[in-house]
Amino acid sequence: MPPQAPALDTATDTRPAGHGGSQPWSPAFAPGGAAPGGAAPGGSGGSTVPGGTPGAVPPPLAPAERARLDEAFRATLARGIHGLCFSPYLEGQAPGSQIGEAQIRERLAIVRPHTRWVRSFSCTDGHEQTPRIAHEMGLKTLVGAWLGTDAKINERELQGVIAVARAGQADIVAVGNEVLLREDLDEDALIACIERVRQALPGVPVGYVDAYFLFEKHPRVTAACDVVMTNCYPFWEGCPRDQALAYMQTMLARTRAAAPGKRILISETGWPDQGSAFHGAVPGTEAAMQYFVDTAAWAEREGIEWFHFAAFDEAWKVGAEGDVGAFWGLWDKDARPKFG
């Protein structure tokens, strides 16, 4: 079992700077979830699993089908996708560790041929170096400031992201990630942070990242954004893999309806390849590969800006998200390719 992250202290913001992968939302596809068109307890809509046993492991693909999936995955990765969520943690590191330039450069060099954008999650503890190095490599950057319950950390993050963007290293700025989902800040405090950064960075698109249904619940936050960045995880709503792409598309449609006229991008989506099932959503190598291939093909056809979560597995995340937390990457924790 990979090492676990330190236990979370609810009195301070020890949520990871760059955790990504979200957390369980309402299991909309689980028995007892919302009916079609309704709202599940966490605010997300969905339906119950149509038949079958929730969490049942699907049979492996036949050899010829698996060979086709391997080839499709390799071709998709070689062609490159719009964006990858990037954290450079090495074995034994976790949020709070000081991150060095060499490891950032080494990890970015691996992903560089396969993406046009990288998304970073923090502007402290060395993560503020990622946008500069990415730009040096010809990549565009979605740069995040991690906000939580600790006012001192929040201030460092806000100052950091403003400095990075003023240096010309941020193509888009994200002020906070799932702050409302975690209930770390209230709406007024979050909007104040967004407006502060917007005013400091004229000409730089500024927005906020959260689960898609939070933009419906918080129209004032949505209105404050130049760019609305929506996290869409069918897995965390218990959706079976074979329905996941269609369900993720409804998540995007709901975000669009909540933010008419706004630039919208999918800031996180993905599927874990190991770990425990979440109701009807079952991790697996073939499931993760197919979700990646399907999403990339759809996004390319439709011109969707999207960021796959994630570039690399992060061993420390099992403490924050359960056993699936460490297995969202296209490369493993040691930067070895996992698929295809």
Side-chain angles (χ1 to χ4, degrees):
M1 178 67 68
Q4 294 195 3
L8 298 181
D9 177 1
T10 57
T12 60
D13 180 22
T14 55
R15 288 291 299 193
H19 80 296
S22 193
Q23 60 187 11
W25 302 342
S26 58
F29 275 74
S44 52
S47 59
T48 57
V49 177
T53 302
V57 178
L61 295 176
E65 293 175 324
R66 177 57 189 265
R68 285 192 289 271
L69 177 57
D70 287 344
E71 176 55 33
F73 178 86
R74 287 192 295 267
T76 301
L77 194 61
R79 189 164 56 247
I81 65 170
H82 177 82
L84 280 170
C85 295
F86 176 84
S87 291
Y89 295 115
L90 304 179
E91 182 76 28
Q93 292 182 330
S97 300
Q98 293 299 308
I99 305 301
E101 177 173 343
Q103 72 188 77
I104 296 171
R105 194 172 294 278
E106 180 181 343
R107 290 282 169 112
L108 280 175
I110 292 169
V111 306
R112 178 185 181 185
H114 307 291
T115 187
R116 297 181 289 280
W117 288 70
V118 291
R119 178 187 170 201
S120 59
F121 291 79
S122 170
C123 281
T124 62
D125 297 331
H127 295 282
E128 67 276 8
Q129 302 172 93
T130 295
R132 170 180 55 81
I133 298 168
H135 267 201
E136 290 173 3
M137 294 184 175
L139 296 168
K140 292 190 174 183
T141 56
L142 167 52
V143 181
W146 187 268
L147 302 180
T149 59
D150 189 309
K152 291 182 179 179
I153 294 175
N154 291 352
E155 180 60 28
R156 288 174 52 216
E157 288 281 352
L158 293 171
Q159 291 181 11
V161 80
I162 289 170
V164 166
R166 283 179 170 169
Q169 297 160 3
D171 296 289
I172 302 173
V173 167
V175 182
N177 183 78
E178 296 188 344
V179 174
L180 296 173
L181 182 68
R182 296 191 309 273
E183 300 181 347
D184 283 351
L185 295 176
D186 64 23
E187 186 178 86
D188 288 341
L190 176 59
I191 290 172
C193 292
I194 295 170
E195 291 293 351
R196 173 182 168 184
V197 174
R198 287 185 69 205
Q199 292 173 15
L201 301 175
V204 179
V206 174
Y208 169 65
V209 176
D210 215 324
Y212 67 101
F213 53 87
L214 270 302
F215 294 104
E216 297 173 327
K217 287 188 169 185
H218 297 275
R220 291 175 58 229
V221 173
T222 306
C225 295
D226 301 318
V227 185
V228 172
M229 293 168 270
T230 181
N231 287 353
C232 299
Y233 281 104
F235 181 87
W236 283 132
E237 295 193 19
C239 179
R241 215 300 306 164
D242 60 359
Q243 301 175 46
L245 178 63
Y247 191 54
M248 190 262 288
Q249 291 167 347
T250 70
M251 296 173 170
L252 178 60
R254 285 174 58 175
T255 308
R256 285 173 166 165
K262 297 279 187 180
R263 180 180 178 184
I264 295 171
L265 57 84
I266 297 173
S267 39
E268 294 179 29
T269 194
W271 198 273
D273 62 281
Q274 295 184 49
S276 300
F278 187 68
H279 301 281
V282 182
T285 296
E286 292 174 353
M289 292 170 67
Q290 193 68 63
Y291 188 81
F292 175 76
V293 169
D294 290 350
T295 303
W298 164 72
E300 186 173 343
R301 282 194 312 271
E302 300 295 328
I304 307 297
E305 297 181 272
W306 73 293
F307 289 78
H308 180 79
F309 189 87
F312 300 99
D313 284 348
E314 299 172 63
W316 67 269
K317 288 179 60 182
V318 294
E321 298 169 20
D323 58 2
V324 299
F327 301 107
W328 293 81
L330 298 178
W331 290 266
D332 71 12
K333 63 183 177 63
D334 299 314
R336 295 174 298 212
K338 291 165 58 177
F339 309 124

